[in-house]
Amino acid sequence: MSNIFFRIYLVVFAFITQCFFAQEYPGGLSDGTLKVNTTEIPVKIFTTTEVSDLDAFAGKKIDQNVLVILNKSNFEPAYYNFSSLILSKFKSENYQFFDKNFKLIQTAATSENIQTFKYAVKSDKPISASDQVELETPFKIWDPSNGIKLGPVTLHFYSLMFIFAFGFGYILMTKIFKIDNVNQKYLEPLFTWTLIGTILGARLGHVIFYQPELFKEDFWSVFLPISTKNGFKFTGFSGLASHGATIALILTTLYYCFKIIKKNPFWVYDRLGIVVSLGGAFVRMGNFFNSEIVGKPVDPNSPFALLFPQQSSEYGITVPRYPTQLFEAFGYICLFILLWVLYKKTDKKYQQGWLFGLFFIILWAIRFFVEFLKEPQGDEFIQMGGLNTGQVLSIPFMIAGVVIMFMSKKFKITQAENAKPE
């Protein structure tokens, strides 16, 4: 139990200290130790997803021992010629190349094997093929694969998390409808309108709040997973905003309530809040697999410090950071458990709007406080009193939650009324 309280203390301490100062990493380099047999070699660690930044670093004259973590994005087939030139630069500076298991690569890079190049190491003493090499760092390194390969197709973990979110959400809502003795025929249209509202709202919300320039510069990328700005390219949706998803979900659910199930909207929102809490945790886990929505730089000795080699350069230099995706996911799981217990064990489900109001308050409070540890997402068009866009947008939702909880006293129903469409 004391360990749990200590962890909570560390999180609170992180929130407070981050408001006053952030960890500095001169040159974007973090520290590690390369263990070669029994010899420990201090190294400076560098990594980036940007080919141009990697090229610039390869040409630097550095007198220290250096380990560069290479990314698949550095070696896309379309950039093979440029990437091979970068490796040549590293080689001219006496770097040695290793695969993901720290086995020395002694063959020249080709278009077939270039993606096996995982590390570039420069040390005072050359490393031989027979040496046992291991990297030790005070922080964890999160460098997962893109997904699960199914023949020629890769099922990306982010997509898988969305499938889990909607799949488990459907199963959970099925159970809720059974508990409430509501006809299952109302479940399919709820799923459909929830899916439409979530995806469309999340995408539009991101573009409106964070990338409005896309409406002019690349209009079709707003609605389709493609880019036409510099030629046609399939990109997938690279930006989804929870605030937009919430607004759209409220609107599509209103249609469902008035035209289909004919119940008080708060009855549906109370139950959707439970499902969305769990779904939100899956989505943030997807962000974690994608190394996106990362936190601010943190002390490398912090128990929360994680290095995301695959993070986008839009977040700044690639150094140990807070895993804010996990902080949010954990918060949403706790919220899900709380709402589920209140729904199952109390009569609050008959006070329409009470659970939904509580959901709004806690969900957006989690988002509000975790934002202190996050890097900005895109351009911050809405700022107020030192708060970022995500925080400013969360405040009205929290206030709405308080109002809805007070209003819920007017919408109490009996257990018999609960099962009947209104």
Side-chain angles (χ1 to χ4, degrees):
M1 182 63 71
S2 60
N3 187 48
I4 294 175
F5 283 115
F6 179 66
R7 290 279 177 169
I8 294 173
Y9 162 76
L10 287 175
V11 174
V12 174
F13 180 76
F15 281 125
I16 295 173
T17 55
Q18 194 64 48
C19 293
F20 296 98
F21 63 89
Q23 182 70 28
E24 297 291 336
Y25 287 90
L29 300 172
S30 48
D31 294 305
T33 301
L34 201 62
K35 194 171 182 180
V36 182
N37 299 322
T38 57
T39 304
E40 294 186 349
I41 304 173
V43 292
K44 292 292 184 180
I45 300 173
F46 177 82
T47 183
T48 179
T49 54
E50 295 294 326
V51 178
S52 57
D53 292 342
L54 186 66
D55 179 53
F57 187 82
K60 283 185 177 180
K61 301 292 183 181
I62 300 177
D63 297 329
Q64 299 168 295
N65 298 317
V66 180
L67 181 142
V68 180
I69 302 176
L70 304 172
N71 276 286
K72 285 186 177 181
S73 60
N74 302 143
F75 301 132
E76 293 288 343
Y79 306 124
Y80 167 70
N81 291 333
F82 188 33
S83 300
S84 60
L85 288 175
I86 294 175
L87 292 181
S88 297
K89 279 188 179 182
F90 276 120
K91 191 171 184 179
S92 67
E93 293 295 326
N94 299 318
Y95 281 82
Q96 294 177 282
F97 302 111
F98 297 82
D99 65 14
K100 64 180 181 180
N101 298 315
F102 275 105
K103 298 300 180 183
L104 184 65
I105 298 176
Q106 296 175 297
T107 56
T110 65
S111 57
E112 287 76 27
N113 73 358
I114 194 168
Q115 290 200 344
T116 64
F117 285 62
K118 185 60 184 176
Y119 302 101
V121 177
K122 178 182 179 182
S123 62
D124 295 332
K125 182 182 177 182
I127 300 171
S128 68
S130 61
D131 288 332
Q132 296 294 317
V133 183
E134 184 180 353
L135 175 63
E136 296 179 347
T137 58
F139 47 85
K140 299 290 190 298
I141 298 176
W142 178 247
D143 195 13
S145 61
N146 293 332
I148 302 171
K149 284 193 173 294
L150 302 172
V153 179
T154 299
L155 179 58
H156 290 268
F157 288 121
Y158 185 76
S159 301
L160 192 60
M161 291 301 106
F162 256 91
I163 293 172
F164 283 164
F166 283 101
F168 281 105
Y170 184 87
I171 294 170
L172 187 60
M173 192 59 79
T174 301
K175 185 175 181 63
I176 289 173
F177 271 38
K178 287 181 179 178
I179 292 172
D180 288 322
N181 197 28
V182 174
N183 195 314
Q184 296 289 310
K185 72 178 183 179
Y186 295 112
L187 190 59
E188 295 294 340
L190 176 61
F191 178 82
T192 301
W193 285 107
T194 299
L195 182 63
I196 293 172
T198 301
I199 301 300
L200 186 61
R203 181 57 183 161
L204 284 174
H206 175 83
V207 175
I208 292 170
F209 297 135
Y210 298 101
Q211 282 186 291
E213 70 275 6
L214 284 182
F215 284 113
K216 286 185 177 180
E217 297 177 2
D218 196 4
F219 179 79
W220 292 111
S221 70
V222 175
F223 303 98
L224 299 172
I226 62 172
S227 174
T228 58
K229 190 174 181 180
N230 296 309
F232 182 86
K233 183 180 180 182
F234 180 81
T235 59
F237 287 131
S238 58
L240 300 171
S242 54
H243 297 92
T246 300
I247 295 170
L249 191 55
I250 289 173
L251 295 176
T252 55
T253 304
L254 281 175
Y255 175 84
Y256 168 80
C257 293
F258 291 128
K259 295 294 185 180
I260 300 174
I261 198 171
K262 300 189 185 328
K263 273 185 172 290
N264 186 315
F266 286 131
W267 185 94
V268 179
Y269 293 147
D270 283 341
R271 286 141 184 84
L272 271 182
I274 302 171
V275 174
V276 170
S277 299
L278 182 60
F282 280 119
V283 171
R284 283 296 176 255
M285 286 300 297
N287 297 137
F288 182 63
F289 278 109
N290 267 10
S291 298
E292 58 191 7
I293 313 184
V294 299
K296 294 178 180 177
V298 61
D299 187 307
N301 295 302
S302 166
F304 300 115
L306 273 181
L307 182 70
F308 296 91
Q310 298 177 31
Q311 74 166 63
S312 169
S313 61
E314 70 176 288
Y315 299 117
I317 56 177
T318 308
V319 294
R321 295 175 177 275
Y322 290 108
T324 47
Q325 319 96 323
L326 297 185
F327 292 167
E328 273 195 76
F330 177 75
Y332 296 157
I333 290 172
C334 291
L335 175 58
F336 161 70
I337 294 172
L338 173 64
L339 292 174
W340 180 249
V341 170
L342 289 171
Y343 168 78
K344 285 274 289 181
K345 302 297 184 181
T346 73
D347 61 355
K348 288 300 182 183
K349 59 176 169 286
Y350 304 130
Q351 188 172 328
Q352 299 174 114
W354 194 91
L355 289 174
F356 181 59
L358 182 65
F359 160 76
F360 252 32
I361 294 170
I362 298 178
L363 179 99
W364 297 111
I366 292 170
R367 175 69 185 271
F368 181 88
F369 286 109
V370 173
E371 286 290 330
F372 282 113
L373 302 181
K374 278 186 189 177
E375 285 289 359
Q377 300 175 56
D379 295 323
E380 296 286 342
F381 291 101
I382 306 174
Q383 292 182 320
M384 184 185 301
L387 303 179
N388 64 26
T389 301
Q391 291 171 313
V392 173
L393 293 175
S394 296
I395 292 173
F397 288 111
M398 287 189 283
I399 295 173
V402 174
V403 173
I404 291 169
M405 288 188 77
F406 277 109
M407 289 174 55
S408 67
K409 297 176 183 178
K410 301 178 181 180
F411 302 116
K412 285 186 177 180
I413 57 175
T414 64
Q415 185 173 355
E417 292 172 322
N418 184 57
K420 297 177 181 178
E422 296 177 357

